[in-house]
Amino acid sequence: MNSTVSAYGLKIQSGLFPGFAEELGPTTEKHLKLMLVLDVVKVEDHLVVDPYPLSPGRPKLDATAMARAFVAKSLLNIPTTRALIDRLDADAVLRRICGFERGAHVPCEASFSNWFGRFADGKFAERVHEALVRKAHRDVPIHNVSRDSTAIDAREKLAPKAEKLKKTPRRKGRPKKDEVRPAPEPSRLERQLTMSLAEQIADLPTACDFGLKKNAKGTTTGWIGYKLHIDTAEGAVPVACILTSASVHDSAVALPLESTIGARISTL
């Protein structure tokens, strides 16, 4: 894997990088790193783009440029969409790498928000990640997979709790001779044994909620938001990720993660 990344870096440095430097001025190390990531990830391979749109009205935004801009936002650690737009307006090299020829071609905040919603609804990032994992570990089995979760803070209000149905109180003690008591409802883990992977993931809560987690020092901390459950291979490479509510216990996502990596890679 390291030799592959080095080959990409040499190809970009000897070919694409000098061209940008001559046309737009000096290119920083961050620009080169972004070009390397985009060349490896190849977001354009996972987008359906019509090269000759015939619909009337204003030309549609370039989906590839929008996807590249979101990759740049994450890689360069740009906190807000407004800051990303300002960076694209001021940085001609970054703008050209993303695919916007001029500053006037950079869309507004509302357009970025709409495209973020489209990518999220279509699970674009998940599809790109799955393709990379399948390609990298196509013929390479993984010996050990580590499973853990991390807190994701969110500036959202807690989702309203659904009202629980009042159950008929059960009489204490042993049942009478002819008394037939209803069987207890199966737990989530018991239901998952008879579900497909899509059903298992759909059954997990995903609304903003309050969660508690004990850190490595043994201190219990709380947060409002979500929880990201991750399976990592050797070298801390994530091979499967599932996002749930912060209140979901780690054990509830063990079977869905196991089914996910079982369909992608070969592990011991």
Side-chain angles (χ1 to χ4, degrees):
M1 187 67 180
N2 293 333
S3 60
T4 304
V5 174
S6 301
Y8 274 114
L10 290 174
K11 181 177 68 173
I12 293 177
Q13 189 173 7
S14 60
L16 190 60
F17 174 65
F20 271 97
E22 294 174 3
E23 182 178 355
L24 300 176
T27 309
T28 65
E29 183 180 353
K30 287 289 187 179
H31 292 144
L32 180 60
K33 185 177 181 180
L34 176 60
M35 293 158 63
L36 174 62
V37 170
L38 291 174
D39 194 39
V40 174
V41 175
K42 296 186 182 300
V43 294
E44 59 275 3
D45 293 347
H46 305 276
L47 293 170
V48 179
V49 181
D50 185 5
Y52 305 105
L54 300 178
S55 57
R58 181 180 179 180
K60 296 181 179 180
L61 293 174
D62 187 358
T64 302
M66 299 299 292
R68 285 170 170 255
F70 282 118
V71 174
K73 180 182 178 182
S74 177
L75 183 65
L76 301 180
N77 198 22
I78 300 176
T80 62
T81 302
R82 182 67 260 173
L84 173 63
I85 295 175
D86 294 340
R87 179 69 180 272
L88 290 172
D89 290 335
D91 193 339
V93 178
L94 178 63
R95 188 168 63 244
R96 291 290 301 275
I97 293 175
C98 292
F100 302 108
E101 291 296 329
R102 296 185 300 170
H105 295 165
V106 178
C108 62
E109 292 181 70
S111 297
F112 271 102
S113 298
N114 293 335
W115 274 97
F116 185 86
R118 295 184 189 181
F119 290 145
D121 294 339
K123 298 184 177 180
F124 175 71
E126 296 180 22
R127 291 189 282 109
V128 174
H129 177 247
E130 180 181 355
L132 289 174
V133 171
R134 289 180 180 273
K135 181 178 180 180
H137 297 280
R138 182 181 303 164
D139 302 318
V140 182
I142 296 176
H143 293 84
N144 300 304
V145 173
S146 301
R147 182 167 299 149
D148 202 354
S149 63
T150 183
I152 303 294
D153 292 313
R155 294 177 295 177
E156 301 179 25
K157 293 183 179 180
L158 292 176
K161 295 286 186 179
E163 295 184 1
K164 295 183 179 180
L165 298 177
K166 294 183 179 180
K167 299 181 180 179
T168 304
R170 190 177 66 176
R171 190 172 61 84
K172 297 181 180 181
R174 297 177 59 183
K176 295 180 178 181
K177 183 176 180 180
D178 298 330
E179 181 181 359
V180 178
R181 293 183 177 179
E185 296 183 1
S187 63
R188 175 174 282 117
L189 293 178
E190 294 173 339
R191 296 198 305 269
Q192 287 178 347
L193 295 175
T194 58
M195 291 180 175
S196 63
L197 175 58
E199 293 172 340
Q200 290 175 355
I201 295 177
D203 187 54
L204 297 172
T206 56
C208 182
D209 203 352
F210 181 78
L212 293 173
K213 187 174 178 64
K214 185 176 293 186
N215 57 24
K217 297 181 180 180
T219 304
T220 302
T221 58
W223 76 99
I224 294 176
Y226 306 90
K227 185 185 286 187
L228 184 63
H229 306 262
I230 308 175
D231 271 8
T232 56
E234 292 93 343
V237 178
V239 292
C241 304
I242 296 178
L243 185 70
T244 67
S245 301
S247 57
V248 176
H249 195 268
D250 293 358
S251 62
V253 197
L255 287 178
L257 283 173
E258 188 69 29
S259 301
T260 300
I261 64 172
R264 295 180 180 179
I265 59 177
S266 175
T267 175
L268 304 181

